[in-house]
Amino acid sequence: QMMGRDLVRPDPDRFGALRMTDNARPILRGEASISLRRDTITSAIPRTIVKTLVADEDAPLLSALKAKRRAMAEAAGVPAYVVFPDRTLIEMAERKPATLDDMAGVTGVGAKKLESYGAAFLAVINGASEGLHPARMRLAGKPSGAVYDRLAEVQLSLLRGIDGTGKPLSLSPGILRRIAEARPSTLSDLDRVGDLGPAKIERFGTAFLDVLRNA
C-alpha cells in the first residue's frame, strides 16, 4: 500500500531494498496523516516451504559452505544471497558434488555462478579445487564434458604414437573443446573443426572418431 502511495520505492543501488520517498517525510514529521487498509486472512493458502534444515551429519558442511559464502560476499561487497541462496547451499551439503560437472546439476548453480564460485565451493566440499582448464570448465555439466575427458585421455595415450617412440604431438584444450562440441563424424570434418593437419589426423583421427561414435 505504501508503494502504491509512492511512500517507498525499491532502490536498485541497494539490491531492491526499500527506501522512503520525499512524499513520506511529512507523514514521518507528523505534518500529514494517512489511512491504510487492514487486510484480514479468511483462509490459509498452502505454500511450498523451503527446506531450511539438513541431517545432523551434513550440518558441519553446511556451516562451512555458509562461511565461504559470507567471505566471498563480503569480498565482493554484495549480500550473501547474491552468491548463493540458502536452498542451494543445502542441496550442496546433501548431494556433495565431487566435480564441477556434478556442481552444475545443483539447483541455483548456473553457468556464470559455476565459473565464478564453483571451484571455491567444491574445495570446501572435497578439500581441494578441481583445477580444470577454462576450456573444460565451459563444458561443465554438459554431455560434451565427458567426451572432452575421453578425447584428452586418448590424446595422452597417443602422445608419442602407438608404439611410444614417435614425435610428441598434442592438441590444445580449446581444440579438444571444439571437437567435443561439434562431434564430427568423418576425418575431413574432424580436420575442418580442429584444423589438425595431416600429422595429427594420422596420429589421432581414427581414435578420436571412435570416441565420438561411442559418445
Side-chain angles (χ1 to χ4, degrees), residues 129-147:
S129 175
E130 191 177 5
L132 290 183
H133 188 279
R136 174 60 178 85
M137 187 176 294
R138 290 182 62 180
L139 302 179
K142 301 177 181 178
S144 300
V147 179

Side-chain angles (χ1 to χ4, degrees), residues 10-30:
D11 187 346
D13 294 331
R14 297 174 58 205
F15 303 98
L18 297 176
R19 65 174 178 82
M20 291 180 294
T21 66
D22 291 338
N23 293 340
R25 297 183 183 279
I27 298 173
L28 290 175
R29 291 195 294 260

Side-chain angles (χ1 to χ4, degrees), residues 115-159:
E115 180 180 353
S116 300
Y117 309 123
F121 282 84
L122 196 67
V124 174
I125 297 169
N126 299 323
S129 175
E130 191 177 5
L132 290 183
H133 188 279
R136 174 60 178 85
M137 187 176 294
R138 290 182 62 180
L139 302 179
K142 301 177 181 178
S144 300
V147 179
Y148 176 105
D149 293 340
R150 183 61 186 137
L151 291 172
E153 291 173 3
V154 169
Q155 174 185 246
L156 183 60
S157 69
L158 296 175
L159 181 67

Side-chain angles (χ1 to χ4, degrees), residues 185-204:
S185 59
T186 66
L187 289 176
S188 59
D189 288 342
L190 177 63
D191 189 21
R192 176 180 53 80
V193 171
D195 192 21
L196 304 188
K200 292 180 180 178
I201 282 290
E202 182 179 359
R203 176 75 58 85
F204 304 116

Side-chain angles (χ1 to χ4, degrees), residues 83-104:
V83 178
F84 286 124
D86 282 351
R87 64 188 302 172
T88 297
L89 298 189
I90 290 169
E91 188 172 336
M92 286 184 193
E94 292 179 333
R95 294 179 57 175
K96 300 177 182 61
T99 66
L100 285 176
D101 291 310
D102 296 338
M103 180 74 79

